[in-house]
Amino acid sequence: MTTDEIPAVESVSGTGVPIRGNDIDTDQIIPARFMKVVTFDGLGEFAFFDLRFDENDDPKAHPFNDERFQGASVLAVNANFGCGSSREHAPQALLRWGIDAIIGESFAEIFAGNCLALGIPTVTADSETVETIQEWVEANPDDEIDVDVAAETVTYGGTTADVTVDDAQRKALVDGVWDTTALMKANAGEVQKTAASLPYVEDGERA
Amino acid sequence: MSEGTLYDEVWDRHKVTTLPTGQDQLFIGLHLIHEVTSPQAFGMLRERDLQVAYPELTHATVDHIVPTADQSRPYSDDAAEEMMAELEANVREAGIDFSDPASGDQGIVHVVGPEQGLTQPGKTIVCGDSHTSTHGAFGALAFGIGTSQIRDVLATGTVAMEKQQVRKIEVTGELGEGVEAKDVILEIIRQLGTEGGVGYVYEYAGEAIENLSMEGRMSICNMSIEGGARAGYVNPDETTYEWLEATDYFQANPERFEELKPYWESIRSDETATYDDVVTIDGSSLEPVVTWGTTPAQGVGISEPIPSPDDLPADKQETARRAQEHMRVEPGETMEGYEIDVAFLGSCTNARLPDLRRAAAIVEGREVHPDVRAMVVPGSQRVQRAAEDEGLKAIFEDAGFEWRNAGCSMCLGMNEDQLEGDEACASSSNRNFIGRQGSKDGRTILMNPQMVAAAALEGSVTDVRDLKEVTTV
């Protein structure tokens, strides 16, 4: 496979779903007991599981259970979303539930990196902008919201708001180089040189 | 941007090139893998017909799902057995060393790497686990990665990353009685917040840090991620070198110790290094810290009142209200006397030999409270054997603790060790998130190992410094 085959993600459009609250951690996004799997398939149904279902597995009030937000692809969240563990299971679960882009006040770093590896933009805006978007989504669950990664804007209703996309993330998504394996594999010769320059790396020796 | 720090030095030495995205391609000197986050990455490799590029720089163990009671195969939990079998097949095919239970070297990945001498100053170390920051205690640049990045490291020996800023956290003074590394990091997170470290690497320095053992430094670096910092480190010094020299690798290769020491010395932060931010914390003023809420930043000194959400910054109030409702605590009260059902002494934060020794010293000759289920889960099989050899197991068992086999266990409840219902747990682990210990109504109170021991004896959160004054029976 070559980097040419990786699709660019210039923008994402779809209906929205708001999840309110700061410090929503990866254990809430996907509880650890659902990680006892060797593939990511089927994780979507377990997204936010403990917040969505009671002890008898009956549904509770939660945006991911709400009829109005079924089919949504743009998630609107608050501060420090995705804090906690490095589990890629978290964005994988959101992706498999249907999320293709996330707008938030801020994101935990490993989480944002994991999203990028899956081609999911994590764009940021101040709390006022995000709360306005969350309110708009609640009032207009059937209307599309457009996350323009290249232009760093979010458009909803008749409003266009400026958002921030990390430089490397924007470039990776817009140029379609967010899947880094092939890109880095092409530099194998340079990698070998770097390895050879490090005193602790011995040829074929474990250390 | 920072200049002349260990972070700058190690980054520059490992940088392969700048990628078209503007990210740097960074060579990885040690890739640790475990059963939860690596199987999917090996699957991606197979889909693309790629091989593991540097199996000799990769090391595996099993920790998250491993049962800590009956470890006979196949495991009674089918899902756990499948994950273990998958890891075994992957490492066999790729030729990767595996510290499995049969080797006697198995344990939590962040205990295993250091104790085998794999973790060394000036290495770049990654693992699909956010607590990889632990290895920074040795002056390594160590951080957690997601599964797609594991795929990248397996396939290329490198990761794509952006360089971050460096914040120096200077902890001055001497720590008081009963105050440990755990209390220092809980205090740091309380002051700087769970997201305060986003975009930063933390350099821990100052008298209180320099005086810590390697195990204490590991406890601090381990929880960097709870403060939002993907990596944290301590500059290597004589304490580091002494610890390394005693490990298997350098015992077997003493000439390598002499060969590598100049490199380790060369990467230390310069006296004249510049930092993007510097924070100073007075270590001598600390008391044991316990959490009252559901993020590691929601902590309080044992004698201090739990804050009122109204007195917190606006963006922290709602989280605090929900946390206090979940934990059933009231502002103005202290955590002292908060009743517990479970005491968990374990995890990659606090399950190394000195952690168990300090807790055993509190427990010795006393009895666990009749209403408390107390367990010790050593960080590795080596820790377990050493603790058994010096009599710690007997001390814990005589007091009424269960003595288990090594693994992550109740830190995250991926095996059978879980809270039930709304049980409250005094825990030496690192996360008090809702649902973290296996029950969504469970309540976790983070604290240092001596404090866990004290809580187990009293049946409630207790200031261990008071307990010490009680005559031992």
Side-chain angles (χ1 to χ4, degrees):
Chain A
M1 115 171 229
T2 70
T3 51
D4 299 340
E5 293 165 25
I6 299 162
V9 183
E10 284 185 32
S11 66
V12 174
S13 292
T15 59
V17 53
I19 302 269
R20 291 174 186 274
N22 296 335
D23 295 315
I24 292 182
D25 57 71
T26 50
D27 280 84
Q28 290 181 57
I29 299 171
I30 183 84
R33 64 183 184 280
F34 300 117
M35 295 178 6
K36 283 160 96 166
V37 288
V38 294
T39 76
F40 292 126
D41 304 337
L43 283 182
E45 60 182 297
F46 303 120
F48 293 113
F49 192 90
D50 287 347
L51 299 171
R52 285 167 63 195
F53 300 97
D54 67 14
E55 45 276 8
N56 303 316
D57 289 350
D58 290 326
K60 297 198 288 192
H62 186 275
F64 269 37
N65 287 342
D66 194 324
E67 274 300 312
R68 295 176 300 154
F69 303 125
Q70 300 308 304
S73 56
V74 178
L75 177 63
V77 301
N78 300 100
N80 201 28
F81 187 79
C83 60
S85 94
S86 66
R87 61 187 72 162
E88 191 171 301
H89 305 67
Q92 288 276 4
L94 298 176
L95 175 72
R96 281 152 207 275
W97 187 85
I99 298 302
D100 295 322
I102 314 180
I103 306 162
E105 291 173 41
S106 61
F107 296 92
E109 253 163 63
I110 305 180
F111 177 82
N114 284 339
C115 286
L116 176 59
L118 303 179
I120 303 172
T122 47
V123 310
T124 56
D126 59 43
S127 58
E128 198 181 329
T129 304
V130 169
E131 280 165 24
T132 307
I133 291 171
Q134 289 175 324
E135 282 162 21
W136 182 86
V137 168
E138 268 162 10
N140 304 278
D142 299 324
D143 291 350
E144 290 214 341
I145 181 164
D146 180 62
V147 179
D148 192 326
V149 178
E152 297 190 73
T153 57
V154 169
T155 303
Y156 54 98
T159 309
T160 295
D162 286 336
V163 294
T164 304
V165 187
D166 170 79
D167 285 347
Q169 180 186 146
R170 190 178 68 245
K171 205 152 170 35
L173 290 170
V174 172
D175 296 347
V177 290
W178 45 270
D179 184 339
T180 41
T181 305
L183 187 67
M184 296 200 295
K185 189 86 189 153
N187 301 331
E190 290 300 307
V191 173
Q192 197 49 48
K193 270 189 217 160
T194 305
S197 75
L198 291 163
Y200 67 80
V201 179
E202 296 176 284
D203 256 352
E205 284 289 318
R206 178 196 150 190
Chain B
M1 287 300 284
S2 63
E3 259 182 41
T5 70
L6 179 144
Y7 178 66
D8 294 294
E9 299 284 339
V10 176
W11 187 280
D12 290 348
R13 297 282 304 239
H14 291 77
K15 179 178 165 179
V16 176
T17 186
T18 303
L19 297 168
T21 56
Q23 291 174 305
D24 284 348
Q25 182 174 359
L26 211 59
F27 181 75
I28 297 304
L30 175 63
H31 185 195
L32 299 166
I33 60 172
H34 62 70
E35 76 285 9
V36 178
T37 54
S38 72
Q40 301 87 347
F42 281 102
M44 295 175 197
L45 246 57
R46 276 191 289 273
E47 276 172 26
R48 299 179 187 198
D49 199 24
L50 294 169
Q51 306 294 313
V52 177
Y54 292 93
E56 71 279 11
L57 301 180
T58 312
H59 192 93
T61 192
V62 57
D63 51 13
H64 286 64
I65 54 92
V66 76
T68 58
D70 178 9
Q71 294 191 324
S72 56
R73 299 285 299 274
Y75 297 145
S76 59
D77 178 346
D78 292 343
E81 177 60 30
E82 188 189 357
M83 294 173 84
M84 177 63 165
E86 185 90 8
L87 181 62
E88 288 173 320
N90 287 334
V91 298
R92 197 167 45 235
E93 191 187 328
I96 293 167
D97 283 343
F98 184 22
S99 293
D100 67 351
S103 69
D105 294 330
Q106 173 266 342
I108 308 176
V109 63
H110 311 307
V111 179
V112 164
E115 73 186 2
Q116 294 189 25
L118 303 174
T119 300
Q120 294 168 14
K123 277 193 181 183
T124 43
I125 301 178
V126 296
C127 176
D129 194 290
S130 61
H131 292 115
T132 307
S133 55
T134 309
H135 307 262
F138 291 81
L141 172 53
F143 46 87
I145 57 176
T147 294
S148 295
Q149 287 178 304
I150 297 174
R151 172 201 64 205
D152 286 352
V153 180
L154 289 174
T156 73
T158 61
V159 286
M161 281 203 91
E162 285 163 87
K163 206 171 168 196
Q164 291 161 310
Q165 303 190 83
V166 183
R167 174 179 289 142
K168 183 180 192 178
I169 300 179
E170 193 148 348
V171 187
T172 58
E174 276 182 46
L175 302 181
E177 190 197 359
V179 180
E180 303 189 6
K182 180 68 158 287
D183 304 299
V184 173
I185 187 64
L186 284 171
E187 178 64 21
I188 289 170
I189 299 165
R190 169 163 77 150
Q191 288 193 22
L192 301 178
T194 50
E195 75 285 27
V198 173
Y200 286 95
V201 163
Y202 283 173
E203 175 176 311
Y204 302 102
E207 185 187 352
I209 303 291
E210 287 160 15
N211 288 340
L212 287 173
S213 66
M214 288 315 297
E215 289 82 0
R217 296 177 188 185
M218 283 190 256
S219 298
I220 292 201
C221 291
N222 172 274
M223 289 186 69
S224 301
I225 187 65
E226 313 320 331
R230 198 167 180 176
Y233 65 85
V234 177
N235 278 298
D237 59 11
E238 286 307 318
T239 304
T240 320
Y241 307 145
E242 206 174 289
W243 207 95
L244 285 165
E245 201 168 10
T247 61
D248 295 359
Y249 177 74
F250 290 110
Q251 286 293 302
N253 305 280
E255 74 291 351
R256 290 293 286 155
F257 184 83
E258 294 307 325
E259 283 168 22
L260 287 172
K261 202 170 167 188
Y263 172 61
W264 301 339
E265 289 282 318
S266 76
I267 50 137
R268 283 175 51 90
S269 294
D270 302 336
E271 296 284 334
T272 55
T274 52
Y275 297 87
D276 300 286
D277 191 29
V278 178
V279 171
T280 303
I281 287 175
D282 177 9
S284 64
S285 68
L286 299 182
E287 57 174 351
V289 178
V290 295
T291 57
W292 52 262
T294 55
T295 82
Q298 291 170 331
V300 71
I302 184 65
S303 70
E304 284 180 282
I306 296 161
S308 166
D310 299 336
D311 296 336
L312 297 173
D315 62 331
K316 302 287 172 210
Q317 294 184 1
E318 190 48 38
T319 311
R321 273 187 208 101
R322 277 188 280 123
Q324 293 189 353
E325 194 179 320
H326 180 85
M327 294 298 291
R328 296 181 229 147
V329 295
E330 295 290 334
E333 295 177 352
T334 70
M335 283 301 288
E336 186 141 23
Y338 187 92
E339 287 185 11
I340 63 151
D341 307 288
V342 177
F344 172 62
L345 194 51
S347 90
C348 58
T349 314
N350 274 131
R352 297 181 180 83
L353 192 57
D355 298 320
L356 303 190
R357 281 185 190 139
R358 289 193 307 279
I362 302 298
V363 164
E364 187 162 19
R366 296 186 168 119
E367 277 182 19
V368 168
H369 190 278
D371 298 335
V372 172
R373 174 160 63 103
M375 62 160 82
V376 185
V377 181
S380 70
Q381 291 180 321
R382 291 188 183 199
V383 169
Q384 183 178 4
R385 280 195 302 276
E388 288 171 0
D389 288 349
E390 65 179 62
L392 303 186
K393 176 190 177 184
I395 291 171
F396 282 114
E397 286 190 333
D398 287 350
F401 277 82
E402 284 178 63
W403 181 259
R404 297 294 194 96
N405 295 307
C408 298
S409 180
M410 200 185 268
C411 176
L412 85 169
M414 279 192 77
N415 67 356
E416 70 279 17
D417 306 336
Q418 304 191 357
L419 294 184
E420 288 167 24
D422 65 354
E423 280 182 332
C425 178
S427 183
S428 68
S429 59
N430 43 57
R431 288 189 179 138
N432 51 346
F433 299 157
I434 292 173
R436 172 75 179 180
Q437 294 192 288
S439 168
K440 62 183 172 182
D441 297 318
R443 294 166 290 152
T444 304
I445 309 107
L446 302 178
M447 59 189 77
N448 78 41
Q450 294 186 75
M451 289 286 285
V452 171
L457 302 173
E458 295 293 302
S460 60
V461 177
T462 302
D463 189 339
V464 67
R465 297 170 300 182
D466 297 340
L467 196 68
K468 278 183 174 169
E469 290 163 17
V470 178
T471 314
T472 318
V473 286

